[in-house]
Amino acid sequence: MVEQSIEYILTEKAFLKKELKKLFLSIEPYVFYAKYSPAIGNDLALLIPHGIYLFAENNPDTPFSEELQQVLQELAKEYMGIIAVASFILIESLERMNKKSPFQFDLKPLARELNQSIYSNMEKLAKDKTGDGYGWEDGKLGELRNIAKNTVSYGGPDFFGLD
């Protein structure tokens, strides 16, 4: 029997209980602290490939992709979900570029929703220097600009309005 990662176990549990939103937001009982990770909550760079992708690949006959897409759309509308959705779009763009993504849904509507949230929360994001915003002069807005730049370089949709 293959040992499953904590990311996979938490993804499976969240999916079965219809609580994927809590997983993305690092809300108990879906919190893990990765060794050597600077992440304050769940490290999405680990969660997405080792939890979300692996679960989707191992369970192709479930409505996981549809539920994930719906949860991401909801999160894109919420302040607390903005970084999580931007991170997903970034990683998904890279995986699609490398032809490794298990998902086929269109990222453009999600990027548009995220863009609206970023602009309606722009002032708050710029002042927020917690977590992902710590190293940026303009807080989480700077982090989002950086994520968007990288996303576009991987052929993903521009959710920040870089052009």
Side-chain angles (χ1 to χ4, degrees), residues 44-57:
L44 295 173
L46 295 174
L47 175 66
I48 294 169
H50 301 294
I52 302 295
Y53 284 170
L54 201 54
F55 184 81
E57 290 165 2

Side-chain angles (χ1 to χ4, degrees), residues 24 48 52 68-69 91-92 94 96 99 105 138 146 155:
F24 273 95
I48 294 169
I52 302 295
L68 175 65
Q69 189 175 3
I91 294 168
E92 179 66 5
L94 175 61
R96 287 181 183 191
K99 299 183 182 354
F105 56 82
D138 54 351
N146 188 54

Side-chain angles (χ1 to χ4, degrees), residues 4-83:
Q4 294 175 329
S5 69
I6 186 67
E7 297 90 351
Y8 186 94
I9 293 166
L10 290 176
T11 299
E12 180 178 43
K13 184 178 176 182
F15 172 68
L16 294 174
K17 291 188 171 195
K18 299 199 176 298
E19 295 183 329
L20 286 174
K21 194 174 185 180
K22 286 184 177 182
L23 178 67
F24 273 95
L25 295 176
S26 302
I27 296 173
E28 291 291 348
Y30 307 106
V31 179
F32 70 95
Y33 298 100
K35 195 173 187 178
Y36 307 116
S37 171
I40 292 172
N42 294 346
D43 188 331
L44 295 173
L46 295 174
L47 175 66
I48 294 169
H50 301 294
I52 302 295
Y53 284 170
L54 201 54
F55 184 81
E57 290 165 2
N58 290 341
N59 299 278
D61 298 329
T62 66
F64 183 73
S65 179
E66 293 81 9
E67 190 172 320
L68 175 65
Q69 189 175 3
Q70 181 181 353
V71 165
L72 290 168
Q73 284 286 56
E74 291 171 16
L75 285 169
K77 296 174 185 175
E78 300 174 20
Y79 181 80
M80 294 305 294
I82 290 174
I83 295 284

